[in-house]
Amino acid sequence: MASLDPKALVDIASSSTNPSFAVKTLLRASEIYISQLPTASSRRERSQNIKSILAQAECLKQWNYGLSKSEEIILLKGSLLSGCKVPPWNGKPSPEIIDQLVLSPDQINQIDHWVDGREIYGSNIWPDQMEIKQMLLSNCSFVASLIALSPLNAANLSSILLADKSSFTFKIYLNGTYRRLSITPNIPVSLDLTPLTVMSTHLGPILVEKAFHALRNSYDFQGSNSATDLFLLLGYIPEIVRLHSPEIDLDEIRLRGGVMTVGSNKYEEIGQHNFALTEFDQNTVRVVNPWGGSKLHEWTQLHRSFETLYISHDPVQFRHRYQKHFSGPQQFVVHPSHGEICVLLSQHISTWTDTWTAMDVFLGSTKIYDFKNPILKGHKLDSFYTFCRLKPFSGPRILVPVSPSSSNWTISLYSQESIYCEHVASPAFRCKEIALWKGTSKINSSTFITNQQYRITITSVSFVALVITSAKGLVRLDLLSSDERVDRLRSGDCLANSGNYQPSQAVILKVLDPGKYIVIPTCFESTEGGYEIQVESDSFIKLEKLAPYDAGKFKKSLATTNQQVHITVSRLTEIWIIVLSREFIGLQFLAENEEVIWEENISDGRLGLFSGKLRVEKGFYFLKRVGEDEWNIEIISDNRIEVG
């Protein structure tokens, strides 16, 4: 190991998932640098390297990032992006080397051929001071990122690159870990050898740009933002600040530091454009245009010219870190902290499709089902990641990812103080069912009876969470103490409900005694698509889908304006009478001798919906109504009957 280049040792340590090994490797790299000090041409540079390595080793001792087997599998699954293989970093070239990238028709017209960039720029890859300028590619945020990064730590860019005779391998950060991406040095140029790429005196920035575009396999790129760009390039923590928000404190932001750029939606005639921020003074900052040129601005007046501030934080500055890779929806409880905690949630992506991500924060330490009242409502970002800050707090907090995606995720917490974070445990027993909506099914509608209904069985006193989730529509849940299907909800029937109809999700949380209960999901308006109903409990629970109301039964239907309908029953049977009418307000079921067996009047605001279950013997019966309008009759029975 002593013969290795100390830079290579630092590379090996940063890619290791074993904290102990990483610390030992970093300390060995520092020892080699120290041994080289007497003969070093630049003692100052080597001293800075030693300080940086020791600081990184100290951080690693505090970080919690040992991987479970399931996490290793998740990271391996994240090794493909838009057809490009990006396996986890191991200090070696990727098995797939990317040569020429896709060009737009306009770009094709501007180039003549591809050439090895070393033939133009020579073998000296990195300049001491980067001087770059955006040219023909629509990547102002990327170029602004390099300009903003250069005065602070341009050496970070050189550390992400490994070179051999025919390719260059970059260490990028994607889908929860550092990964390797290998490219050839071939670049597109015009007939006079002018590159299509960023203008630079050295090849290094051009290769970084090619690797960045290789993630999309194309130079035809409509732009990103600097926070995202440096997240992918260096694993920097991305933070996006809306400059017009009344909640921001620019003085506090300046003290925190970081690599910063700004974005404008109204720059000259092109609209969106990004600028680098450099030369921070007491009250001013230099705003650098990637096309060339710069101007001093008052720090506190940036909002007059720009909408968004993009900040990228080097994770090495934090002494403590917690990171977890997980699948599907999960919640995390963060225990009390004396220091601020930065939280980064990122989806694992396989394509560059449009998506959004948010994260809400709640009080407590148990699983959240009802998401109405967060103490911090996350901003919905049109991105595969989101970021928030938790101020010092005395009670536990629940972090709840919010996204339409069900992909794999990584959650990372950073702080100067110790962090204690863990998965929120779900109740021991969980059941779920998936079904399709059948038109309008709200509780007072004529089609309520067609709703799918469910029976839950509980064997001991239990806390129960009932959750319905629907991609569309306003939904509601009702819970009844019963063990069989009901035809409608009568006053006093409901043991609990989720309240008014809610968009997408409704919840009932209740402690229930042993027994059987009916759960009824409904939607307010006609809704296409499906829904999922989930039941969780801290003791055994059984969820059953009940058969449709007419399953295995005989059914007779009739629409008429007559005042009464004759029914003939040939043997003892159970019948279920369902009647719908717009006008009449009363209904009677009579024996042949006109004895009233059952009757019902409208008194609860329903629009002429009648329903009754009867057990009747062989004989002749009449169904009589009070009213003038046409009525629709449906009779469900165990045995054949005649209706006329």
Side-chain angles (χ1 to χ4, degrees):
M1 186 175 284
S3 62
L4 288 176
D5 182 348
K7 285 187 177 180
L9 290 177
V10 173
D11 232 15
I12 293 170
S14 62
S15 63
S16 172
T17 58
N18 184 321
S20 177
F21 172 78
V23 170
K24 291 178 181 178
T25 306
L26 286 171
L27 293 178
R28 182 60 183 140
S30 181
E31 290 172 359
I32 295 174
Y33 272 128
I34 291 172
S35 68
Q36 294 174 349
L37 277 177
T39 59
S41 57
S42 175
R43 291 177 59 88
R44 182 179 179 184
E45 179 184 350
R46 294 196 184 277
S47 295
Q48 288 176 342
N49 286 336
I50 293 168
K51 290 179 181 179
S52 174
I53 290 171
L54 292 177
Q56 189 173 350
E58 183 62 32
C59 289
L60 281 170
K61 287 194 290 185
Q62 306 295 332
W63 286 358
N64 169 18
Y65 72 125
L67 293 178
S68 66
K69 190 66 178 178
S70 62
E71 288 181 292
E72 291 178 357
I73 293 172
I74 287 172
L75 294 181
L76 286 174
K77 287 182 177 179
S79 299
L80 193 66
L81 177 61
S82 297
C84 174
K85 293 181 181 178
V86 279
W89 179 263
N90 64 359
K92 299 178 181 178
S94 173
E96 179 180 289
I97 298 175
I98 299 172
D99 185 18
Q100 297 184 7
L101 304 183
V102 174
L103 300 171
S104 70
D106 287 343
Q107 291 169 345
I108 291 174
N109 291 333
Q110 295 175 45
I111 73 160
D112 181 71
H113 61 286
W114 292 71
V115 66
D116 187 332
R118 291 171 295 191
E119 296 179 12
I120 302 175
Y121 296 97
S123 58
N124 187 6
I125 302 297
W126 291 105
D128 295 330
Q129 181 71 29
M130 278 198 300
E131 295 182 6
I132 58 176
K133 182 178 177 181
Q134 181 186 359
M135 294 301 289
L136 300 176
L137 300 181
S138 301
N139 60 359
C140 59
S141 68
F142 171 81
V143 179
S145 300
L146 297 191
I147 295 172
L149 183 71
S150 178
L152 296 174
N153 195 357
N156 275 350
L157 288 174
S158 62
S159 70
I160 67 173
L161 179 149
L162 292 176
D164 60 24
K165 292 182 179 180
S166 60
S167 68
F168 291 82
T169 299
F170 286 81
K171 181 167 68 174
I172 60 168
Y173 190 87
L174 178 70
N175 293 343
T177 191
Y178 287 101
R179 300 179 179 276
R180 47 200 165 116
L181 176 68
S182 296
I183 60 171
T184 68
N186 295 333
I187 58 175
V189 295
S190 63
L191 190 60
D192 62 357
L193 298 184
T194 300
L196 175 73
T197 57
V198 63
M199 179 183 288
S200 171
T201 56
H202 290 71
L203 183 59
I206 296 173
L207 293 179
V208 173
E209 182 184 52
K210 180 178 178 180
F212 178 76
H213 284 273
L215 289 172
R216 294 168 173 82
N217 194 33
S218 176
Y219 275 124
D220 184 14
F221 175 51
Q222 297 307 310
S224 173
N225 66 68
S226 294
T228 300
D229 298 347
L230 290 180
F231 181 37
L232 293 169
L233 278 177
L234 298 171
Y236 277 17
I237 305 164
E239 182 176 11
I240 299 176
V241 177
R242 306 302 179 191
L243 288 172
H244 294 136
S245 170
E247 303 171 359
I248 68 168
D249 184 337
L250 282 174
D251 291 332
E252 181 181 346
I253 289 172
R254 184 168 184 150
L255 286 174
R256 286 200 296 257
V259 180
M260 300 188 194
T261 67
V262 286
S264 171
N265 294 328
K266 304 173 183 176
Y267 183 71
E268 295 184 353
E269 296 181 357
I270 67 163
Q272 295 182 343
H273 196 49
N274 277 52
F275 302 79
L277 298 185
T278 64
E279 299 180 19
F280 289 81
D281 204 344
Q282 186 173 359
N283 298 311
T284 62
V285 62
R286 182 167 296 281
V287 178
V288 183
N289 191 333
W291 295 342
S294 65
K295 182 180 179 181
L296 285 177
H297 279 252
E298 288 187 43
W299 171 253
T300 57
Q301 300 301 311
L302 283 175
H303 66 280
R304 294 184 178 273
S305 303
F306 308 100
E307 286 76 39
T308 310
L309 175 65
Y310 301 103
I311 312 172
S312 299
H313 304 279
D314 189 341
V316 171
Q317 68 182 278
F318 296 96
R319 295 182 61 238
H320 299 265
R321 182 177 75 172
Y322 172 91
Q323 189 173 71
K324 195 71 176 176
H325 314 288
F326 61 97
S327 298
Q330 295 278 355
Q331 297 180 17
F332 294 85
V333 57
V334 183
H335 293 277
S337 172
H338 297 296
E340 182 180 69
I341 298 176
C342 295
V343 184
L344 175 65
L345 174 73
S346 59
Q347 297 180 39
H348 291 198
I349 56 175
S350 57
T351 61
W352 292 104
T353 53
D354 292 337
T355 187
W356 60 266
T357 310
M359 180 167 49
D360 296 340
V361 182
F362 297 82
L363 288 173
S365 58
T366 57
K367 185 172 180 177
I368 302 297
Y369 295 95
D370 190 342
F371 305 113
K372 296 175 187 173
N373 300 304
I375 59 170
L376 177 62
K377 182 68 176 175
H379 297 293
K380 186 185 291 186
L381 291 180
D382 295 328
S383 178
F384 61 94
Y385 64 83
T386 189
F387 172 91
C388 75
R389 292 179 179 274
L390 300 181
K391 299 297 183 183
F393 53 93
S394 57
R397 302 289 189 266
I398 298 290
L399 307 178
V400 179
V402 183
S403 171
S405 170
S406 59
S407 64
N408 294 328
W409 298 78
T410 293
I411 188 168
S412 303
L413 278 64
Y414 307 87
S415 181
Q416 302 300 351
E417 304 292 334
S418 60
I419 304 170
Y420 179 34
C421 178
E422 58 187 335
H423 281 287
V424 175
S426 293
F429 295 88
R430 179 187 302 175
C431 311
K432 71 176 181 180
E433 289 280 353
I434 297 174
L436 296 175
W437 293 115
K438 297 180 179 179
T440 304
S441 63
K442 58 186 176 182
I443 54 177
N444 62 352
S445 72
S446 60
T447 56
F448 173 82
I449 195 171
T450 65
N451 284 332
Q452 179 62 60
Q453 298 183 16
Y454 301 86
R455 180 191 295 120
I456 58 174
T457 304
I458 301 171
T459 57
S460 61
V461 177
S462 305
F463 165 79
V464 176
L466 301 167
V467 182
I468 181 174
T469 305
S470 175
K472 299 178 181 178
L474 302 174
V475 295
R476 167 179 164 137
L477 280 177
D478 286 272
L479 178 68
L480 291 76
S481 181
S482 176
D483 66 349
E484 61 179 18
R485 171 181 279 277
V486 299
D487 55 337
R488 69 171 183 267
L489 289 179
R490 295 173 174 84
S491 178
D493 283 352
C494 195
L495 185 64
N497 63 59
S498 58
N500 295 332
Y501 282 90
Q502 301 288 330
S504 302
Q505 186 179 66
V507 178
I508 295 176
L509 305 176
K510 194 169 181 64
V511 175
L512 296 177
D513 292 326
K516 295 184 177 181
Y517 301 84
I518 297 298
V519 181
I520 307 175
T522 56
C523 59
F524 187 74
E525 296 177 329
S526 182
T527 302
E528 295 182 354
Y531 65 87
E532 178 182 282
I533 185 166
Q534 183 169 290
V535 185
E536 294 187 355
S537 174
D538 49 16
S539 63
F540 175 79
I541 190 168
K542 183 179 180 182
L543 175 66
E544 302 172 82
K545 182 184 289 187
L546 296 183
Y549 73 103
D550 55 355
K553 306 287 186 180
F554 294 95
K555 182 165 66 173
K556 290 286 187 178
S557 300
L558 178 68
T560 182
T561 57
N562 295 337
Q563 289 295 110
Q564 65 182 27
V565 173
H566 184 227
I567 300 172
T568 303
V569 177
S570 59
R571 57 187 296 185
L572 178 67
T573 190
E574 184 175 76
I575 62 173
W576 189 353
I577 302 171
I578 304 164
V579 176
L580 177 66
S581 175
R582 294 181 180 178
E583 297 292 337
F584 70 84
I585 58 173
L587 189 71
Q588 291 181 328
F589 185 77
L590 308 171
E592 189 175 16
N593 61 4
E594 296 192 353
E595 177 188 355
V596 177
I597 299 174
W598 167 75
E599 66 179 342
E600 185 172 8
N601 296 308
I602 294 294
S603 60
D604 57 3
R606 290 176 290 110
L607 299 178
L609 175 64
F610 299 82
S611 176
K613 283 185 177 181
L614 306 170
R615 191 170 183 82
V616 295
E617 297 179 349
K618 177 181 178 180
F620 299 96
Y621 300 89
F622 297 94
L623 190 61
K624 186 176 181 180
R625 56 121 176 215
V626 177
E628 301 296 332
D629 194 31
E630 180 181 75
W631 50 323
N632 294 280
I633 307 164
E634 189 172 87
I635 301 179
I636 312 298
S637 62
D638 292 333
N639 298 294
R640 292 185 183 276
I641 61 172
E642 297 297 329
V643 178

PDB file of all heavy atoms in Angstrom, residues 48-67:
ATOM      1  N   GLN A  48      -2.222  21.409   3.006  1.00  0.00           N
ATOM      2  CA  GLN A  48      -3.673  21.525   2.870  1.00  0.00           C
ATOM      3  C   GLN A  48      -4.309  20.156   2.626  1.00  0.00           C
ATOM      4  O   GLN A  48      -5.378  19.845   3.163  1.00  0.00           O
ATOM      5  CB  GLN A  48      -4.016  22.479   1.722  1.00  0.00           C
ATOM      6  CG  GLN A  48      -3.724  23.940   2.035  1.00  0.00           C
ATOM      7  CD  GLN A  48      -3.985  24.843   0.848  1.00  0.00           C
ATOM      8  OE1 GLN A  48      -4.055  24.380  -0.289  1.00  0.00           O
ATOM      9  NE2 GLN A  48      -4.114  26.134   1.106  1.00  0.00           N
ATOM     10  N   ASN A  49      -3.638  19.321   1.820  1.00  0.00           N
ATOM     11  CA  ASN A  49      -4.150  17.973   1.563  1.00  0.00           C
ATOM     12  C   ASN A  49      -4.223  17.161   2.850  1.00  0.00           C
ATOM     13  O   ASN A  49      -5.190  16.436   3.102  1.00  0.00           O
ATOM     14  CB  ASN A  49      -3.264  17.249   0.549  1.00  0.00           C
ATOM     15  CG  ASN A  49      -3.463  17.767  -0.867  1.00  0.00           C
ATOM     16  OD1 ASN A  49      -4.513  18.320  -1.176  1.00  0.00           O
ATOM     17  ND2 ASN A  49      -2.459  17.603  -1.706  1.00  0.00           N
ATOM     18  N   ILE A  50      -3.168  17.283   3.678  1.00  0.00           N
ATOM     19  CA  ILE A  50      -3.128  16.537   4.942  1.00  0.00           C
ATOM     20  C   ILE A  50      -4.278  16.969   5.849  1.00  0.00           C
ATOM     21  O   ILE A  50      -4.980  16.140   6.435  1.00  0.00           O
ATOM     22  CB  ILE A  50      -1.771  16.739   5.642  1.00  0.00           C
ATOM     23  CG1 ILE A  50      -0.654  16.077   4.813  1.00  0.00           C
ATOM     24  CG2 ILE A  50      -1.799  16.163   7.054  1.00  0.00           C
ATOM     25  CD1 ILE A  50       0.737  16.452   5.264  1.00  0.00           C
ATOM     26  N   LYS A  51      -4.483  18.276   5.972  1.00  0.00           N
ATOM     27  CA  LYS A  51      -5.572  18.776   6.820  1.00  0.00           C
ATOM     28  C   LYS A  51      -6.926  18.285   6.317  1.00  0.00           C
ATOM     29  O   LYS A  51      -7.794  17.890   7.097  1.00  0.00           O
ATOM     30  CB  LYS A  51      -5.544  20.307   6.852  1.00  0.00           C
ATOM     31  CG  LYS A  51      -4.363  20.888   7.613  1.00  0.00           C
ATOM     32  CD  LYS A  51      -4.389  22.411   7.573  1.00  0.00           C
ATOM     33  CE  LYS A  51      -3.189  22.999   8.306  1.00  0.00           C
ATOM     34  NZ  LYS A  51      -3.189  24.487   8.243  1.00  0.00           N
ATOM     35  N   SER A  52      -7.098  18.310   4.999  1.00  0.00           N
ATOM     36  CA  SER A  52      -8.363  17.863   4.415  1.00  0.00           C
ATOM     37  C   SER A  52      -8.605  16.380   4.683  1.00  0.00           C
ATOM     38  O   SER A  52      -9.709  15.961   5.040  1.00  0.00           O
ATOM     39  CB  SER A  52      -8.363  18.139   2.912  1.00  0.00           C
ATOM     40  OG  SER A  52      -9.509  17.600   2.307  1.00  0.00           O
ATOM     41  N   ILE A  53      -7.552  15.567   4.529  1.00  0.00           N
ATOM     42  CA  ILE A  53      -7.684  14.121   4.733  1.00  0.00           C
ATOM     43  C   ILE A  53      -8.002  13.803   6.191  1.00  0.00           C
ATOM     44  O   ILE A  53      -8.870  12.980   6.491  1.00  0.00           O
ATOM     45  CB  ILE A  53      -6.394  13.405   4.286  1.00  0.00           C
ATOM     46  CG1 ILE A  53      -6.265  13.469   2.756  1.00  0.00           C
ATOM     47  CG2 ILE A  53      -6.390  11.953   4.751  1.00  0.00           C
ATOM     48  CD1 ILE A  53      -4.930  12.994   2.250  1.00  0.00           C
ATOM     49  N   LEU A  54      -7.308  14.467   7.113  1.00  0.00           N
ATOM     50  CA  LEU A  54      -7.553  14.209   8.531  1.00  0.00           C
ATOM     51  C   LEU A  54      -8.972  14.621   8.928  1.00  0.00           C
ATOM     52  O   LEU A  54      -9.624  13.946   9.729  1.00  0.00           O
ATOM     53  CB  LEU A  54      -6.521  14.946   9.384  1.00  0.00           C
ATOM     54  CG  LEU A  54      -5.077  14.426   9.269  1.00  0.00           C
ATOM     55  CD1 LEU A  54      -4.136  15.291  10.095  1.00  0.00           C
ATOM     56  CD2 LEU A  54      -4.993  12.971   9.723  1.00  0.00           C
ATOM     57  N   ALA A  55      -9.445  15.732   8.360  1.00  0.00           N
ATOM     58  CA  ALA A  55     -10.817  16.161   8.645  1.00  0.00           C
ATOM     59  C   ALA A  55     -11.815  15.135   8.117  1.00  0.00           C
ATOM     60  O   ALA A  55     -12.810  14.807   8.773  1.00  0.00           O
ATOM     61  CB  ALA A  55     -11.081  17.527   8.016  1.00  0.00           C
ATOM     62  N   GLN A  56     -11.527  14.604   6.926  1.00  0.00           N
ATOM     63  CA  GLN A  56     -12.416  13.597   6.342  1.00  0.00           C
ATOM     64  C   GLN A  56     -12.412  12.320   7.179  1.00  0.00           C
ATOM     65  O   GLN A  56     -13.455  11.701   7.395  1.00  0.00           O
ATOM     66  CB  GLN A  56     -11.979  13.291   4.911  1.00  0.00           C
ATOM     67  CG  GLN A  56     -12.956  12.415   4.140  1.00  0.00           C
ATOM     68  CD  GLN A  56     -12.559  12.273   2.679  1.00  0.00           C
ATOM     69  OE1 GLN A  56     -11.672  12.973   2.202  1.00  0.00           O
ATOM     70  NE2 GLN A  56     -13.209  11.370   1.983  1.00  0.00           N
ATOM     71  N   ALA A  57     -11.240  11.931   7.679  1.00  0.00           N
ATOM     72  CA  ALA A  57     -11.153  10.736   8.523  1.00  0.00           C
ATOM     73  C   ALA A  57     -11.945  10.924   9.812  1.00  0.00           C
ATOM     74  O   ALA A  57     -12.624  10.006  10.283  1.00  0.00           O
ATOM     75  CB  ALA A  57      -9.690  10.429   8.838  1.00  0.00           C
ATOM     76  N   GLU A  58     -11.855  12.125  10.392  1.00  0.00           N
ATOM     77  CA  GLU A  58     -12.602  12.407  11.617  1.00  0.00           C
ATOM     78  C   GLU A  58     -14.106  12.306  11.364  1.00  0.00           C
ATOM     79  O   GLU A  58     -14.861  11.778  12.179  1.00  0.00           O
ATOM     80  CB  GLU A  58     -12.245  13.803  12.138  1.00  0.00           C
ATOM     81  CG  GLU A  58     -12.907  14.166  13.462  1.00  0.00           C
ATOM     82  CD  GLU A  58     -12.499  13.235  14.590  1.00  0.00           C
ATOM     83  OE1 GLU A  58     -11.352  12.736  14.573  1.00  0.00           O
ATOM     84  OE2 GLU A  58     -13.330  12.998  15.478  1.00  0.00           O
ATOM     85  N   CYS A  59     -14.536  12.809  10.211  1.00  0.00           N
ATOM     86  CA  CYS A  59     -15.960  12.707   9.855  1.00  0.00           C
ATOM     87  C   CYS A  59     -16.381  11.254   9.695  1.00  0.00           C
ATOM     88  O   CYS A  59     -17.441  10.839  10.173  1.00  0.00           O
ATOM     89  CB  CYS A  59     -16.236  13.464   8.556  1.00  0.00           C
ATOM     90  SG  CYS A  59     -16.137  15.250   8.719  1.00  0.00           S
ATOM     91  N   LEU A  60     -15.533  10.478   9.011  1.00  0.00           N
ATOM     92  CA  LEU A  60     -15.882   9.077   8.762  1.00  0.00           C
ATOM     93  C   LEU A  60     -16.067   8.305  10.057  1.00  0.00           C
ATOM     94  O   LEU A  60     -16.899   7.408  10.151  1.00  0.00           O
ATOM     95  CB  LEU A  60     -14.798   8.412   7.909  1.00  0.00           C
ATOM     96  CG  LEU A  60     -14.848   8.706   6.406  1.00  0.00           C
ATOM     97  CD1 LEU A  60     -13.594   8.193   5.729  1.00  0.00           C
ATOM     98  CD2 LEU A  60     -16.078   8.078   5.787  1.00  0.00           C
ATOM     99  N   LYS A  61     -15.300   8.659  11.079  1.00  0.00           N
ATOM    100  CA  LYS A  61     -15.436   7.962  12.358  1.00  0.00           C
ATOM    101  C   LYS A  61     -16.809   8.187  12.972  1.00  0.00           C
ATOM    102  O   LYS A  61     -17.293   7.377  13.752  1.00  0.00           O
ATOM    103  CB  LYS A  61     -14.337   8.424  13.324  1.00  0.00           C
ATOM    104  CG  LYS A  61     -12.956   7.884  12.969  1.00  0.00           C
ATOM    105  CD  LYS A  61     -11.973   8.066  14.099  1.00  0.00           C
ATOM    106  CE  LYS A  61     -11.609   9.520  14.301  1.00  0.00           C
ATOM    107  NZ  LYS A  61     -10.565   9.691  15.330  1.00  0.00           N
ATOM    108  N   GLN A  62     -17.436   9.319  12.608  1.00  0.00           N
ATOM    109  CA  GLN A  62     -18.739   9.643  13.181  1.00  0.00           C
ATOM    110  C   GLN A  62     -19.901   9.172  12.305  1.00  0.00           C
ATOM    111  O   GLN A  62     -21.033   9.106  12.760  1.00  0.00           O
ATOM    112  CB  GLN A  62     -18.853  11.174  13.365  1.00  0.00           C
ATOM    113  CG  GLN A  62     -17.725  11.801  14.161  1.00  0.00           C
ATOM    114  CD  GLN A  62     -17.707  11.321  15.592  1.00  0.00           C
ATOM    115  OE1 GLN A  62     -18.735  10.965  16.139  1.00  0.00           O
ATOM    116  NE2 GLN A  62     -16.528  11.302  16.198  1.00  0.00           N
ATOM    117  N   TRP A  63     -19.629   8.881  11.048  1.00  0.00           N
ATOM    118  CA  TRP A  63     -20.717   8.580  10.114  1.00  0.00           C
ATOM    119  C   TRP A  63     -21.239   7.161  10.313  1.00  0.00           C
ATOM    120  O   TRP A  63     -20.499   6.227  10.588  1.00  0.00           O
ATOM    121  CB  TRP A  63     -20.243   8.734   8.672  1.00  0.00           C
ATOM    122  CG  TRP A  63     -20.090  10.156   8.262  1.00  0.00           C
ATOM    123  CD1 TRP A  63     -20.367  11.259   9.009  1.00  0.00           C
ATOM    124  CD2 TRP A  63     -19.604  10.636   7.013  1.00  0.00           C
ATOM    125  NE1 TRP A  63     -20.092  12.388   8.307  1.00  0.00           N
ATOM    126  CE2 TRP A  63     -19.621  12.041   7.076  1.00  0.00           C
ATOM    127  CE3 TRP A  63     -19.157  10.025   5.851  1.00  0.00           C
ATOM    128  CZ2 TRP A  63     -19.216  12.842   6.024  1.00  0.00           C
ATOM    129  CZ3 TRP A  63     -18.752  10.820   4.804  1.00  0.00           C
ATOM    130  CH2 TRP A  63     -18.783  12.214   4.888  1.00  0.00           C
ATOM    131  N   ASN A  64     -22.547   7.031  10.101  1.00  0.00           N
ATOM    132  CA  ASN A  64     -23.196   5.725  10.175  1.00  0.00           C
ATOM    133  C   ASN A  64     -23.639   5.340   8.772  1.00  0.00           C
ATOM    134  O   ASN A  64     -24.623   5.835   8.276  1.00  0.00           O
ATOM    135  CB  ASN A  64     -24.408   5.816  11.115  1.00  0.00           C
ATOM    136  CG  ASN A  64     -25.277   4.578  11.040  1.00  0.00           C
ATOM    137  OD1 ASN A  64     -24.841   3.538  10.561  1.00  0.00           O
ATOM    138  ND2 ASN A  64     -26.505   4.695  11.506  1.00  0.00           N
ATOM    139  N   TYR A  65     -22.880   4.496   8.099  1.00  0.00           N
ATOM    140  CA  TYR A  65     -23.306   4.115   6.753  1.00  0.00           C
ATOM    141  C   TYR A  65     -22.935   2.676   6.396  1.00  0.00           C
ATOM    142  O   TYR A  65     -22.629   2.341   5.280  1.00  0.00           O
ATOM    143  CB  TYR A  65     -22.783   5.114   5.712  1.00  0.00           C
ATOM    144  CG  TYR A  65     -21.302   5.082   5.410  1.00  0.00           C
ATOM    145  CD1 TYR A  65     -20.856   4.910   4.105  1.00  0.00           C
ATOM    146  CD2 TYR A  65     -20.355   5.239   6.405  1.00  0.00           C
ATOM    147  CE1 TYR A  65     -19.504   4.902   3.805  1.00  0.00           C
ATOM    148  CE2 TYR A  65     -19.017   5.240   6.116  1.00  0.00           C
ATOM    149  CZ  TYR A  65     -18.593   5.068   4.808  1.00  0.00           C
ATOM    150  OH  TYR A  65     -17.260   5.069   4.519  1.00  0.00           O
ATOM    151  N   GLY A  66     -22.983   1.776   7.388  1.00  0.00           N
ATOM    152  CA  GLY A  66     -22.849   0.367   7.073  1.00  0.00           C
ATOM    153  C   GLY A  66     -24.071  -0.108   6.308  1.00  0.00           C
ATOM    154  O   GLY A  66     -25.185   0.298   6.602  1.00  0.00           O
ATOM    155  N   LEU A  67     -23.881  -0.967   5.327  1.00  0.00           N
ATOM    156  CA  LEU A  67     -24.976  -1.376   4.448  1.00  0.00           C
ATOM    157  C   LEU A  67     -25.504  -2.750   4.824  1.00  0.00           C
ATOM    158  O   LEU A  67     -24.738  -3.671   5.108  1.00  0.00           O
ATOM    159  CB  LEU A  67     -24.503  -1.414   2.994  1.00  0.00           C
ATOM    160  CG  LEU A  67     -24.140  -0.083   2.344  1.00  0.00           C
ATOM    161  CD1 LEU A  67     -23.650  -0.325   0.927  1.00  0.00           C
ATOM    162  CD2 LEU A  67     -25.320   0.860   2.349  1.00  0.00           C
TER     163      LEU A  67
END
